């Protein structure tokens, strides 16, 4: 099964993807995670991406499409993928269609986790992430990761100014993908403003899992 996760930053895509990975064994590809690791390791990609990410802007399409073209051909993707944070523009969506059709692996669904933007500002500014395992938590959870005990930190781009820009960018460049996938008859919309386990029950039901 190949799934695109759609939704504003902070809608809960990463949380739902983690649940799908642990329960269904799908391969999770998060372009944001790949880019953060590239920035941390100061690779060529990381150096090119950093300033866009710090500002909450999108990294140029060519860089992301090249990155995904390679990643999607790796062996761990053969049973299916959950794409989290890609595509984010119509150009990327068209490129993904080409990549998947060349591999003979059609997309099964575009799952929109739908959350009101004002709810998202509060969610993101209090979001924390584990330095070790990438688990997602909140400021109220304290400094240690509930999953592995690692140190929780606030992402550089989870401050209010950058969050508001990321939401603007989502509205302008990414939300048109909702209509794109509706037109392909692949769109499934889920109310994401609920407890993550309740959202996940809906996700599974809508995917027939
Ligand atoms: P995320 O973790 O998905 O919120 O992504 C963090 C940041 O990485 C974004 O604000 C962008 O700067 C960059 N990014 C991640 N995925 C993409 C993408 N598909 N296209 C362009 N930029 C991306």
């Amino acid at each position: 099964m190949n799934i695109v996760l759609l939704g504003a930053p902070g809608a809960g895509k990463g949380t739902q993807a983690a649940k799908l990975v642990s329960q269904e064994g799908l391969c999770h590809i998060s372009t944001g995670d790949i880019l953060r690791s590239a920035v941390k390791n100061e690779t060529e990609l990381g150096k090119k991406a950093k300033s866009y990410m710090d500002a909450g802007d999108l990294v140029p399409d060519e860089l992301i499409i090249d990155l995904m073209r390679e990643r999607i051909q790796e062996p761990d993707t053969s049973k299916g993928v959950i794409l989290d944070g890609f595509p984010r523009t119509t150009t990327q969506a068209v490129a993904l269609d080409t990549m998947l059709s060349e591999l003979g692996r059609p997309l099964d669904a575009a799952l929109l986790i739908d959350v009101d933007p004002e709810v998202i500002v509060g969610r993101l500014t209090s979001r924390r992430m584990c330095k070790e395992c990438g688990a997602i938590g909140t400021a109220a959870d304290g400094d240690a990761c509930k999953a592995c005990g690692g140190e929780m930190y606030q992402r550089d781009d989870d401050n209010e100014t950058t969050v508001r820009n990321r939401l603007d960018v989502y509205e302008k460049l990414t939300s048109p993908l909702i209509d794109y996938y509706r037109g392909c008859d692949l769109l499934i919309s889920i109310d994401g403003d609920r407890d993550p386990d309740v959202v996940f029950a809906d996700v599974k039901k809508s995917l027939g899992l």
Side-chain angles (χ1 to χ4, degrees), residues 4-208:
V4 161
L5 281 179
L6 287 177
K13 300 188 295 298
T15 301
Q16 295 303 318
K19 288 177 184 291
L20 280 166
V21 170
S22 73
Q23 295 195 19
E24 304 298 327
L26 297 179
C27 168
H28 177 202
I29 304 180
S30 155
T31 41
D33 285 350
I34 295 171
L35 292 168
R36 274 184 290 281
S37 156
V39 169
K40 193 172 158 196
N41 295 318
E42 298 182 0
T43 66
E44 278 311 305
L45 172 67
K47 285 179 199 158
K48 287 180 189 157
K50 187 175 185 326
S51 59
Y52 297 100
M53 295 174 74
D54 285 347
D57 289 328
L58 292 187
V59 173
D61 283 336
E62 316 81 75
L63 287 179
I64 297 289
I65 290 168
D66 285 351
L67 164 79
M68 281 303 296
R69 196 176 288 117
E70 285 189 19
R71 180 64 186 92
I72 209 153
Q73 295 189 47
E74 287 176 22
D76 62 339
T77 64
S78 61
K79 284 194 188 142
V81 287
I82 307 169
L83 300 177
D84 166 8
F86 177 87
R88 258 182 158 97
T89 62
T90 308
T91 304
Q92 293 180 17
V94 172
L96 175 65
D97 287 345
T98 309
M99 286 177 217
L100 289 176
S101 82
E102 280 170 9
L103 291 168
R105 295 189 210 154
L107 204 57
D108 296 286
L111 203 63
L112 170 66
I113 313 290
D114 200 13
V115 179
D116 187 306
E118 279 312 312
V119 173
I120 281 178
V121 176
R123 269 195 195 185
L124 282 184
T125 50
S126 65
R127 179 166 74 173
R128 298 293 180 271
M129 197 177 242
C130 175
K131 272 190 179 165
E132 304 303 322
C133 72
I136 298 161
T138 74
D141 296 335
D143 296 336
C145 172
K146 283 186 175 166
C148 77
E151 188 187 336
M152 299 297 280
Y153 77 107
Q154 182 174 35
R155 276 173 46 173
D156 291 344
D157 58 354
D158 277 349
N159 65 77
E160 185 163 346
T161 311
T162 311
V163 164
R164 292 208 180 267
N165 187 42
R166 287 162 66 201
L167 288 172
D168 280 352
V169 168
Y170 172 79
E171 208 44 58
K172 283 191 199 111
L173 297 174
T174 309
S175 69
L177 295 183
I178 296 171
D179 279 341
Y180 179 88
Y181 285 116
R182 189 179 284 119
C184 303
D185 211 15
L186 288 172
L187 188 77
I188 298 171
S189 183
I190 305 270
D191 174 6
D193 194 6
R194 296 172 295 165
D195 179 90
D197 289 332
V198 177
V199 174
F200 188 57
D202 250 12
V203 165
K204 284 211 309 190
K205 197 168 143 203
S206 65
L207 292 173

